[in-house]
Amino acid sequence: QKEVEQNSGPLSVPEGAIASLNCTYSDRGSQSFFWYRQYSGKSPELIMSIYSNGDKEDGRFTAQLNKASQYVSLLIRDSQPSDSATYLCAVRGGGSNYKLTFGKGTLLTVNP
Amino acid sequence: GAGVSQSPSNKVTEKGKDVELRCDPISGHTALYWYRQSLGQGLEFLIYFQGNSAPDKSGLPSDRFSAERTGGSVSTLTIQRTQQEDSAVYLCASALTGGETQYFGPGTRLLVL
């Protein structure tokens, strides 16, 4: 069974710090990787996608992918209280398998 | 433009009853997905529709669950003879096509008493 693992947290960081969220996956054939943010009681919202090894930066967010280690991470720089949410890692398999496999999410709390 | 919409937003039903959950995808999106999120659990894939192709039903947990997509747009997820373990948030997502970014609706919170 294809699995996506995340630390459940909670991860607590002070405002202005860097928050580091990690995710590992079991399916070596996985092609696409996503980070979704989910506020309590709301639906998931895509914040980053990454498809090739290395880093991808978008504003305060950086996604890092290492396919050899089957590892993907999300860094949030200058963390804000509004970043407090659950962050879901999602992985899509290769070929025409378009469904996403999600981790259980990491709860991030940014303290003012 | 309008996002993915789902109805009802909340549904309370008695064990053994049937329920229907509706999803309106973003206009022009050919791919539609249903997921389930139980308390403390991640999102669990249920079913995937792509255009006129046969749906991928590999995530449906039992034969009490079924879904259809009429006219390549609106989708209905039906749960027959509901059980308490069916209580969850049912999320629908759509994408321009398979493999593209999935956009989620607000979900339907189902509570089976």
Side-chain angles (χ1 to χ4, degrees):
Chain A
Q1 179 160 346
K2 300 173 184 176
E3 294 182 346
V4 177
E5 301 286 342
Q6 295 181 252
N7 290 328
S8 60
L11 173 64
S12 183
V13 301
E15 184 175 355
I18 295 175
S20 178
L21 304 162
N22 305 314
C23 172
T24 59
Y25 58 95
S26 63
D27 181 11
R28 203 167 267 284
S30 297
Q31 296 290 320
S32 308
F33 307 85
F34 306 88
W35 284 98
Y36 283 83
R37 178 176 62 199
Q38 187 174 28
Y39 292 113
S40 181
K42 301 295 184 182
S43 59
E45 170 194 13
L46 181 72
I47 53 172
M48 287 288 286
S49 59
I50 187 166
Y51 306 98
S52 54
N53 281 327
D55 295 0
K56 179 181 178 182
E57 186 174 320
D58 183 2
R60 296 186 296 112
F61 299 95
T62 299
Q64 299 174 317
L65 174 61
N66 183 327
K67 289 187 178 180
S69 300
Q70 295 174 241
Y71 175 90
V72 58
S73 66
L74 179 70
L75 300 177
I76 307 174
R77 289 182 301 281
D78 188 24
S79 296
Q80 301 297 309
S82 59
D83 295 327
S84 299
T86 296
Y87 288 80
L88 303 171
C89 174
V91 175
R92 183 170 75 78
S96 60
N97 180 3
Y98 296 130
K99 64 187 180 187
L100 295 178
T101 301
F102 284 84
K104 293 184 179 180
T106 298
L107 176 62
L108 172 66
T109 301
V110 181
N111 301 306
Chain B
V4 178
S5 60
Q6 293 186 245
S7 61
S9 53
N10 291 282
K11 176 72 176 178
V12 180
T13 190
E14 294 179 348
K15 177 182 173 180
K17 301 285 189 182
D18 297 352
V19 296
E20 284 190 353
L21 313 178
R22 177 187 168 106
C23 172
D24 264 290
I26 293 171
S27 178
H29 281 196
T30 64
L32 187 149
Y33 307 78
W34 283 98
Y35 295 88
R36 176 171 71 174
Q37 188 171 33
S38 305
L39 189 63
Q41 301 295 314
L43 276 79
E44 173 191 7
F45 167 78
L46 297 178
I47 188 168
Y48 158 57
F49 295 90
Q50 172 58 60
N52 295 320
S53 302
D56 177 352
K57 304 179 181 180
S58 60
L60 294 178
S62 77
D63 59 8
R64 296 187 294 104
F65 287 72
S66 63
E68 62 178 20
R69 189 179 185 192
T70 54
S73 181
V74 171
S75 177
T76 302
L77 176 69
T78 301
I79 309 173
Q80 296 179 311
R81 304 181 303 280
T82 52
Q83 303 295 311
Q84 289 179 332
E85 61 263 29
D86 298 334
S87 296
V89 177
Y90 289 82
L91 289 158
C92 174
S94 73
L96 193 59
T97 186
E100 297 293 327
T101 299
Q102 297 181 26
Y103 296 92
F104 283 84
T108 293
R109 282 171 172 71
L110 174 66
L111 177 61
V112 182
L113 300 176

